[in-house]
Amino acid sequence: MSFNSSKHKLENIVCYTNSNLEFYKNKYIECGLDKLINSQNFNLTQTDFQKIPFTCKQDLRNNYPFGLFAVDRSEVVRLHASSGTTGLATVVGYTQQDLDMWADCFIRALKLAGVTKDMTVQIAFGYGLFTGGIGAHYGAEKMGCCVVPVSSGNTNRQIKLMQDFGTEVLACTPSYAMHIAQTALSMGIDPKSLPLKVGIFGAEPSSIALLKSLEDTLGIKAYDIYGLSEIMGPGVASMCKQQQGLHLNEDNFYAEIIDPKTGQNLPNGQLGELVITTLTKQCCPLVRYRTGDITKIYEESCSCGLKDMRIDKISGRSDDMLIIRGVNVFPKQIEQVIAQFKEIVPYYLITLTNENTLDKAVLQVELALDFDLDEVKKIEKLKRDIANEIKAQTQVSMQIQLVQPNTLKRYESKSVHVVDNRK
């Protein structure tokens, strides 16, 4: 959807935030739009809109806990928050209308993935203050699906429940889905024998190669879903059966792509940082919120027939980009290489250190369960092949360490793939 198509809703949300939030009222004064907004003939142009200063996560922290709530506390029916591990938590509130909109967005994601209301959906996202589990739960439940609210963890039990309940849809992080598959193998269960048909995966970036690996391992069709707690939660954008980008729910969100360094808007088709404006949220509306996620907007229409704007799969985060010996590298690029090798599984850890003032990168990857550890020549060749492919794809040399199965730490929510010990 173009700016002109969203123009009326953008004018409404600008007026709404100007009237209900001092934070945004001051921003509009700062960029000189206050008189225009308060005029009788308010006509917002794209140039005017792009003058509005960005909102970022630190703004939510600075206004902790309720400073960016645009409604009275009596209208707030739910609170969610980030973990706050890197500072104050970011708190998001929802009115009942906000929750209804969220559920409807997740229903769209389920339908795009071919899920029907007679299916059983096992939700292995974490529940609680994290938006993943409960957002998926209410969407699937409102659609009429049978919901198994198992949350994350206790993987052996997860597998037994899938078998006993006939679970057809799994919703979790892609890394946890792979952990479920590997755990099934260690239990002597063929992952493809599970009743699963569809996987809805989100909360962390995943490559197309990883989704394909999950499809091959679990015998499912894998779909990516995008969301973030500050904007709403899972369901902001989702993948259709064509699996070429994610359809944005444009009636609720307006997207821009900017250069993460300069803040300048980029044309469709160019890779940059995703900026989102909420168009219908009541409690915590955000105008020009910098997500930190790197993607692009597709210029062409999707062959599925939907007219919604599509964004590409998230290729990483602007703050996750690694600079190794002057070369920009995203962890997702490493993941794409790993997924090409059947001898290893997509669990990896990159450790960065300094060696004689130069960056040193060590990549630990886990061998598959059926790999013969006694074949030294085969191991050395595999290490060389992985290193050569990474060098070809990223222009960065990495030392490869092959570790035994189930060596690297498993994460039930977002995985940690990089440890930077450089001084």
Side-chain angles (χ1 to χ4, degrees), residues 175 204 348-350 409 411 413-419:
S175 58
E204 62 187 17
Y348 65 97
L349 180 67
I350 303 167
K409 184 177 179 180
Y411 294 87
S413 55
K414 295 183 180 180
S415 298
V416 175
H417 292 303
V418 179
V419 175

Side-chain angles (χ1 to χ4, degrees), residues 124-186:
F125 285 119
Y127 277 67
L129 289 177
F130 170 61
T131 56
I134 203 164
H137 179 117
Y138 278 94
E141 195 169 77
K142 186 175 181 180
M143 182 175 171
C145 298
C146 176
V147 175
V148 183
V150 70
S151 191
S152 56
N154 203 341
T155 308
N156 290 41
R157 183 167 181 258
Q158 297 258 10
I159 294 167
K160 180 169 173 51
L161 292 178
M162 290 177 192
Q163 294 174 316
D164 294 347
F165 295 171
T167 300
E168 296 146 300
V169 184
L170 174 64
C172 64
T173 65
S175 58
Y176 189 57
M178 185 57 72
H179 180 50
I180 289 173
Q182 295 298 317
T183 302
L185 286 170
S186 68

Side-chain angles (χ1 to χ4, degrees), residues 7-71:
K7 176 178 163 63
H8 180 64
K9 285 189 173 182
L10 286 169
E11 289 173 341
N12 286 343
I13 202 65
V14 167
C15 289
Y16 179 74
T17 51
N18 182 66
S19 300
N20 294 284
L21 286 168
E22 197 72 22
F23 172 81
Y24 278 110
K25 185 175 183 179
N26 291 334
K27 276 188 178 290
Y28 302 143
I29 293 172
E30 177 188 341
C31 67
L33 290 183
D34 53 315
K35 292 181 180 178
L36 177 65
I37 293 169
N38 294 317
S39 66
Q40 289 186 340
N41 298 312
F42 177 38
N43 179 29
L44 184 69
T45 67
Q46 189 167 10
T47 301
D48 291 332
F49 182 72
Q50 291 175 0
K51 291 178 183 177
I52 299 172
F54 297 113
T55 305
C56 63
K57 182 171 284 193
Q58 190 59 44
D59 292 322
L60 277 74
R61 292 177 178 143
N62 292 343
N63 287 277
Y64 177 89
F66 307 131
L68 290 184
F69 283 21
V71 298

Side-chain angles (χ1 to χ4, degrees), residues 200-211:
I200 307 289
F201 303 125
E204 62 187 17
S206 61
S207 62
I208 286 292
L210 178 56
L211 291 186

Side-chain angles (χ1 to χ4, degrees), residues 365-391:
V365 287
E366 231 178 65
L367 289 164
L369 286 170
D370 58 356
F371 189 88
D372 188 352
L373 292 171
D374 294 329
E375 295 190 38
V376 177
K377 290 184 178 179
K378 190 175 179 181
I379 289 176
E380 291 304 315
K381 181 180 184 303
L382 178 58
K383 288 166 64 174
R384 287 195 302 272
D385 289 345
I386 296 171
N388 290 339
E389 188 63 23
I390 287 174
K391 178 71 172 179

Side-chain angles (χ1 to χ4, degrees), residues 131-393:
T131 56
I134 203 164
H137 179 117
Y138 278 94
E141 195 169 77
K142 186 175 181 180
M143 182 175 171
C145 298
C146 176
V147 175
V148 183
V150 70
S151 191
S152 56
N154 203 341
T155 308
N156 290 41
R157 183 167 181 258
Q158 297 258 10
I159 294 167
K160 180 169 173 51
L161 292 178
M162 290 177 192
Q163 294 174 316
D164 294 347
F165 295 171
T167 300
E168 296 146 300
V169 184
L170 174 64
C172 64
T173 65
S175 58
Y176 189 57
M178 185 57 72
H179 180 50
I180 289 173
Q182 295 298 317
T183 302
L185 286 170
S186 68
M187 295 167 64
I189 299 170
D190 180 358
K192 292 182 180 179
S193 71
L194 298 172
L196 294 175
K197 297 178 180 177
V198 176
I200 307 289
F201 303 125
E204 62 187 17
S206 61
S207 62
I208 286 292
L210 178 56
L211 291 186
K212 184 67 171 63
S213 179
L214 286 168
E215 289 185 336
D216 293 342
T217 305
L218 287 165
I220 61 171
K221 192 77 171 174
Y223 298 91
D224 198 13
I225 188 169
Y226 176 73
L228 59 167
S229 59
E230 300 93 320
I231 296 297
M232 179 186 72
V236 172
S238 46
M239 188 177 276
C240 70
K241 290 188 175 183
Q242 301 302 316
Q243 295 178 302
Q244 296 178 344
L246 294 90
H247 292 268
L248 181 74
N249 286 306
E250 287 190 89
D251 50 343
N252 295 305
F253 310 104
Y254 176 74
E256 306 170 77
I257 300 293
I258 64 166
D259 183 317
K261 293 182 179 179
T262 67
Q264 296 298 308
N265 281 72
L266 297 174
N268 291 350
Q270 287 196 22
L271 203 65
E273 181 180 349
L274 178 64
V275 173
I276 293 180
T277 297
T278 62
L279 299 176
T280 58
K281 280 186 72 175
Q282 292 181 324
C283 183
C284 294
L286 293 175
V287 178
R288 304 200 80 202
Y289 181 75
R290 292 188 65 157
T291 67
D293 294 320
I294 302 299
T295 184
K296 67 180 179 181
I297 293 174
Y298 281 93
E299 295 184 280
E300 67 277 9
S301 299
C302 183
S303 56
C304 77
L306 287 177
K307 302 300 182 184
D308 296 323
M309 173 192 292
R310 285 179 301 144
I311 60 173
D312 198 7
K313 282 180 59 60
I314 303 302
S315 59
R317 289 187 52 80
S318 57
D319 53 1
D320 280 350
M321 184 180 72
L322 306 174
I323 302 177
I324 304 174
R325 298 189 181 187
V327 179
N328 297 342
V329 180
F330 285 103
K332 188 175 174 184
Q333 292 175 279
I334 307 302
E335 179 186 289
Q336 288 174 322
V337 171
I338 291 170
Q340 297 175 26
F341 293 87
K342 299 298 183 182
E343 301 92 339
I344 55 179
V345 293
Y347 294 110
Y348 65 97
L349 180 67
I350 303 167
T351 302
L352 301 173
T353 55
N354 297 116
E355 188 174 86
N356 298 325
T357 72
L358 295 176
D359 293 338
K360 179 182 178 181
V362 176
L363 172 65
Q364 290 179 299
V365 287
E366 231 178 65
L367 289 164
L369 286 170
D370 58 356
F371 189 88
D372 188 352
L373 292 171
D374 294 329
E375 295 190 38
V376 177
K377 290 184 178 179
K378 190 175 179 181
I379 289 176
E380 291 304 315
K381 181 180 184 303
L382 178 58
K383 288 166 64 174
R384 287 195 302 272
D385 289 345
I386 296 171
N388 290 339
E389 188 63 23
I390 287 174
K391 178 71 172 179
Q393 295 296 329

